[in-house]
Amino acid sequence: MANSEGNKLWGGRFVGATDPIMEKFNASIAYDQRMWDADIRGSKAYVKALEKAKLVTTEEMNRILQGMDQISEEWSKGVFVIKPGDEDIHTANERRLKELIGEPAGKLHTGRSRNDQVVTDMRLWLRDAIATLKENALQLISTMVERAAVEIDVLFPGYTHMQRAQPIRWSHWILSHAVALSRDVDHLQEIKRRVNVLPLGSGAIAGTPFVIDRELLRAELEFDDISINSMDATGQRDFVAEFLFWASLCLTHLSKMAEDLMLYSTKEFSFLALSDAYSTGSSLMPQKKNADSLELIRSKAGRVFGRCAGFMMTLKGLPSTYNKDLQEDKEAMFDCYDTVHAVLQVTTGVMSTLKINQSVMEAALSPDMLATDLAYYLVRKGMAFREAHGVSGKAVFVAEAKNIPLSQLTVEDLAAVSPLFESDVSSVWDYSSSVEQYSAPGGTAKSSVTAQVDHLRNWLRKHAQ
């Protein structure tokens, strides 16, 4: 038996060396080394369970714990040396442990498989990652809510189908995206609960033949629950798929917001200007100020979608339990985390530094956006809304035929469309009054938007605890 195979965690029954190309193809150390801390935490908990089961002595346990602490310090200081043959983080840490303490290191893997070891590492790593992403998202939401509170009196056009629809508050637009992000945080918390289930002690497939106290492992590693079935525990990656979908949906929300902001920042709109800190220029055209931060936020959504779809395709063809195909889970998980982590921080920067042009926003309001208000005027006079909608549409047609704004139709012009129009119709042509009528919960009136701000502030306080 070649030494290179004998040193591997699986090398006992193999003769001859692995093809170097296969060695590189099979290795995951280049990316799964990110889980070094989770792997060490899992091993330290596991050796305590081994000691309780009398599979290692107390002295051996202490030596292993001390060795793992030294390995942790080496990783923390960036001096851990990855060597040829370290195909993954588990192999690397166990190899180094043996160098430090000798033969007792060989007992650490008793009853444990890389199948339950790797999925434990992943759950520990993702649990920490979720906490970071939640903090990032809460910071962004807080930034948006406080901006909405400060700029609550700014009105501008609301759009549907990319056409001017109705006057709304700028703060109402901000909060529409903050609410979507709050759902993302709630969803992330639900995923964390399903992530936080202990698989360690499941072995490769059938469980462990030793008296391993899985409750001890659960408590040591601060998991909420213990996996029910060893085959499912080692072979399922639902928690990864859920996280990838969550990342896709979160970036869908952020991409939509970025698209709006890009349009609003163009010369054609000029509603706002991005800070230079989140813009770039052109190598050819000196006048250009490009919203590259927003364009990249939009593009990163596609990157994450691809990771999610690709991993789902990997999963769909697998038979039961662990297969090496599942090695693809880690790069997808890491990349989506890195991407969302960066996007949330950049979006926070964009939202905290952009400058709005209130006069341009309000100048963009036009009387045709009050056509619905004209219909509501008739409803308040007793006309059925469906009829009022048609009458208002006729008024719009008359204004277009005369080539004048809707608000410049005379009372006589309007009375020709419906006798219910009287001189008090002039009150319709006021944008502030228009937004103030939408005072029901969720609306764009100042009282309603203030209530939304208060609701989200309370929500933020709850999640900050």
Side-chain angles (χ1 to χ4, degrees), residues 3 64 120 130 133 191 199 237 260 282 394 437 444 457:
N3 279 340
I64 289 171
T120 301
I130 284 173
L133 293 179
I191 292 172
R237 292 296 186 273
D260 281 0
S282 165
K394 289 177 183 178
Q437 68 186 317
T444 198
R457 280 173 171 165

PDB file of all heavy atoms in Angstrom, residues 3 64 120 130 133 191 199 237 260 282 394 437 444 457:
ATOM      1  N   ASN A   3       2.123   4.990   0.624  1.00  0.00           N
ATOM      2  CA  ASN A   3       1.950   5.865   1.782  1.00  0.00           C
ATOM      3  C   ASN A   3       0.907   6.955   1.551  1.00  0.00           C
ATOM      4  O   ASN A   3       0.161   7.308   2.449  1.00  0.00           O
ATOM      5  CB  ASN A   3       3.290   6.528   2.137  1.00  0.00           C
ATOM      6  CG  ASN A   3       4.174   5.589   2.937  1.00  0.00           C
ATOM      7  OD1 ASN A   3       3.669   4.642   3.514  1.00  0.00           O
ATOM      8  ND2 ASN A   3       5.470   5.866   2.945  1.00  0.00           N
ATOM      9  N   ILE A  64      -6.207  15.739  23.011  1.00  0.00           N
ATOM     10  CA  ILE A  64      -6.888  16.082  21.756  1.00  0.00           C
ATOM     11  C   ILE A  64      -7.442  17.504  21.823  1.00  0.00           C
ATOM     12  O   ILE A  64      -7.304  18.286  20.870  1.00  0.00           O
ATOM     13  CB  ILE A  64      -8.004  15.058  21.455  1.00  0.00           C
ATOM     14  CG1 ILE A  64      -7.378  13.714  21.059  1.00  0.00           C
ATOM     15  CG2 ILE A  64      -8.937  15.561  20.335  1.00  0.00           C
ATOM     16  CD1 ILE A  64      -8.371  12.568  20.945  1.00  0.00           C
ATOM     17  N   THR A 120     -22.295  18.487   9.724  1.00  0.00           N
ATOM     18  CA  THR A 120     -22.262  19.216  10.994  1.00  0.00           C
ATOM     19  C   THR A 120     -21.488  20.512  10.837  1.00  0.00           C
ATOM     20  O   THR A 120     -21.932  21.580  11.282  1.00  0.00           O
ATOM     21  CB  THR A 120     -21.624  18.355  12.098  1.00  0.00           C
ATOM     22  OG1 THR A 120     -22.378  17.148  12.250  1.00  0.00           O
ATOM     23  CG2 THR A 120     -21.586  19.098  13.425  1.00  0.00           C
ATOM     24  N   ILE A 130     -25.704  33.058   8.868  1.00  0.00           N
ATOM     25  CA  ILE A 130     -27.057  33.613   8.930  1.00  0.00           C
ATOM     26  C   ILE A 130     -27.119  34.766   9.928  1.00  0.00           C
ATOM     27  O   ILE A 130     -27.760  35.790   9.673  1.00  0.00           O
ATOM     28  CB  ILE A 130     -28.066  32.502   9.281  1.00  0.00           C
ATOM     29  CG1 ILE A 130     -28.315  31.619   8.047  1.00  0.00           C
ATOM     30  CG2 ILE A 130     -29.369  33.085   9.798  1.00  0.00           C
ATOM     31  CD1 ILE A 130     -29.163  30.391   8.331  1.00  0.00           C
ATOM     32  N   LEU A 133     -25.663  37.793   8.185  1.00  0.00           N
ATOM     33  CA  LEU A 133     -26.546  38.341   7.160  1.00  0.00           C
ATOM     34  C   LEU A 133     -27.751  39.033   7.787  1.00  0.00           C
ATOM     35  O   LEU A 133     -28.220  40.062   7.284  1.00  0.00           O
ATOM     36  CB  LEU A 133     -27.005  37.235   6.208  1.00  0.00           C
ATOM     37  CG  LEU A 133     -25.923  36.621   5.317  1.00  0.00           C
ATOM     38  CD1 LEU A 133     -26.510  35.528   4.449  1.00  0.00           C
ATOM     39  CD2 LEU A 133     -25.243  37.684   4.453  1.00  0.00           C
ATOM     40  N   ILE A 191     -35.324  29.711   8.475  1.00  0.00           N
ATOM     41  CA  ILE A 191     -34.320  28.799   7.930  1.00  0.00           C
ATOM     42  C   ILE A 191     -33.303  28.433   9.003  1.00  0.00           C
ATOM     43  O   ILE A 191     -32.884  27.269   9.111  1.00  0.00           O
ATOM     44  CB  ILE A 191     -33.617  29.440   6.709  1.00  0.00           C
ATOM     45  CG1 ILE A 191     -34.610  29.573   5.552  1.00  0.00           C
ATOM     46  CG2 ILE A 191     -32.409  28.615   6.280  1.00  0.00           C
ATOM     47  CD1 ILE A 191     -34.078  30.371   4.382  1.00  0.00           C
ATOM     48  N   PRO A 199     -26.642  16.740  13.177  1.00  0.00           N
ATOM     49  CA  PRO A 199     -26.520  15.455  12.492  1.00  0.00           C
ATOM     50  C   PRO A 199     -25.397  14.575  13.064  1.00  0.00           C
ATOM     51  O   PRO A 199     -25.351  13.366  12.794  1.00  0.00           O
ATOM     52  CB  PRO A 199     -26.198  15.859  11.050  1.00  0.00           C
ATOM     53  CG  PRO A 199     -25.475  17.167  11.188  1.00  0.00           C
ATOM     54  CD  PRO A 199     -25.922  17.809  12.475  1.00  0.00           C
ATOM     55  N   ARG A 237     -29.680  17.891   1.921  1.00  0.00           N
ATOM     56  CA  ARG A 237     -29.130  19.246   1.917  1.00  0.00           C
ATOM     57  C   ARG A 237     -30.253  20.268   1.735  1.00  0.00           C
ATOM     58  O   ARG A 237     -30.075  21.308   1.103  1.00  0.00           O
ATOM     59  CB  ARG A 237     -28.086  19.404   0.807  1.00  0.00           C
ATOM     60  CG  ARG A 237     -26.802  18.601   1.001  1.00  0.00           C
ATOM     61  CD  ARG A 237     -26.019  19.049   2.213  1.00  0.00           C
ATOM     62  NE  ARG A 237     -24.737  18.374   2.305  1.00  0.00           N
ATOM     63  CZ  ARG A 237     -24.534  17.203   2.904  1.00  0.00           C
ATOM     64  NH1 ARG A 237     -25.566  16.580   3.479  1.00  0.00           N
ATOM     65  NH2 ARG A 237     -23.349  16.652   2.954  1.00  0.00           N
ATOM     66  N   ASP A 260     -35.109  50.574  -9.883  1.00  0.00           N
ATOM     67  CA  ASP A 260     -35.815  51.849  -9.686  1.00  0.00           C
ATOM     68  C   ASP A 260     -34.826  52.987  -9.470  1.00  0.00           C
ATOM     69  O   ASP A 260     -34.944  54.061 -10.084  1.00  0.00           O
ATOM     70  CB  ASP A 260     -36.739  51.756  -8.467  1.00  0.00           C
ATOM     71  CG  ASP A 260     -38.042  51.039  -8.755  1.00  0.00           C
ATOM     72  OD1 ASP A 260     -38.252  50.607  -9.902  1.00  0.00           O
ATOM     73  OD2 ASP A 260     -38.857  50.897  -7.818  1.00  0.00           O
ATOM     74  N   SER A 282     -16.431  56.791 -16.875  1.00  0.00           N
ATOM     75  CA  SER A 282     -16.163  56.140 -18.159  1.00  0.00           C
ATOM     76  C   SER A 282     -14.713  56.362 -18.549  1.00  0.00           C
ATOM     77  O   SER A 282     -14.165  57.436 -18.323  1.00  0.00           O
ATOM     78  CB  SER A 282     -17.086  56.713 -19.236  1.00  0.00           C
ATOM     79  OG  SER A 282     -16.639  56.358 -20.526  1.00  0.00           O
ATOM     80  N   LYS A 394     -63.504  59.841 -19.894  1.00  0.00           N
ATOM     81  CA  LYS A 394     -63.987  60.761 -20.923  1.00  0.00           C
ATOM     82  C   LYS A 394     -63.395  62.151 -20.719  1.00  0.00           C
ATOM     83  O   LYS A 394     -63.062  62.855 -21.686  1.00  0.00           O
ATOM     84  CB  LYS A 394     -65.504  60.823 -20.887  1.00  0.00           C
ATOM     85  CG  LYS A 394     -66.178  59.552 -21.388  1.00  0.00           C
ATOM     86  CD  LYS A 394     -67.686  59.647 -21.272  1.00  0.00           C
ATOM     87  CE  LYS A 394     -68.348  58.341 -21.706  1.00  0.00           C
ATOM     88  NZ  LYS A 394     -69.825  58.397 -21.551  1.00  0.00           N
ATOM     89  N   GLN A 437     -55.612  61.490   1.194  1.00  0.00           N
ATOM     90  CA  GLN A 437     -56.860  60.724   1.262  1.00  0.00           C
ATOM     91  C   GLN A 437     -56.596  59.230   1.459  1.00  0.00           C
ATOM     92  O   GLN A 437     -57.488  58.492   1.868  1.00  0.00           O
ATOM     93  CB  GLN A 437     -57.685  60.941  -0.012  1.00  0.00           C
ATOM     94  CG  GLN A 437     -57.079  60.335  -1.270  1.00  0.00           C
ATOM     95  CD  GLN A 437     -57.865  60.703  -2.512  1.00  0.00           C
ATOM     96  OE1 GLN A 437     -59.092  60.673  -2.501  1.00  0.00           O
ATOM     97  NE2 GLN A 437     -57.151  61.068  -3.577  1.00  0.00           N
ATOM     98  N   THR A 444     -50.534  55.842   1.526  1.00  0.00           N
ATOM     99  CA  THR A 444     -49.438  56.803   1.364  1.00  0.00           C
ATOM    100  C   THR A 444     -49.678  58.130   2.078  1.00  0.00           C
ATOM    101  O   THR A 444     -48.860  59.044   1.959  1.00  0.00           O
ATOM    102  CB  THR A 444     -49.154  57.029  -0.135  1.00  0.00           C
ATOM    103  OG1 THR A 444     -47.872  57.615  -0.311  1.00  0.00           O
ATOM    104  CG2 THR A 444     -50.239  57.895  -0.778  1.00  0.00           C
ATOM    105  N   ARG A 457     -39.894  50.293  13.108  1.00  0.00           N
ATOM    106  CA  ARG A 457     -38.982  50.584  14.222  1.00  0.00           C
ATOM    107  C   ARG A 457     -39.197  49.567  15.354  1.00  0.00           C
ATOM    108  O   ARG A 457     -38.227  49.065  15.940  1.00  0.00           O
ATOM    109  CB  ARG A 457     -39.198  52.000  14.736  1.00  0.00           C
ATOM    110  CG  ARG A 457     -38.530  53.077  13.887  1.00  0.00           C
ATOM    111  CD  ARG A 457     -38.920  54.457  14.365  1.00  0.00           C
ATOM    112  NE  ARG A 457     -38.136  55.503  13.709  1.00  0.00           N
ATOM    113  CZ  ARG A 457     -38.466  56.798  13.731  1.00  0.00           C
ATOM    114  NH1 ARG A 457     -39.565  57.193  14.397  1.00  0.00           N
ATOM    115  NH2 ARG A 457     -37.713  57.685  13.113  1.00  0.00           N
TER     116      ARG A 457
END
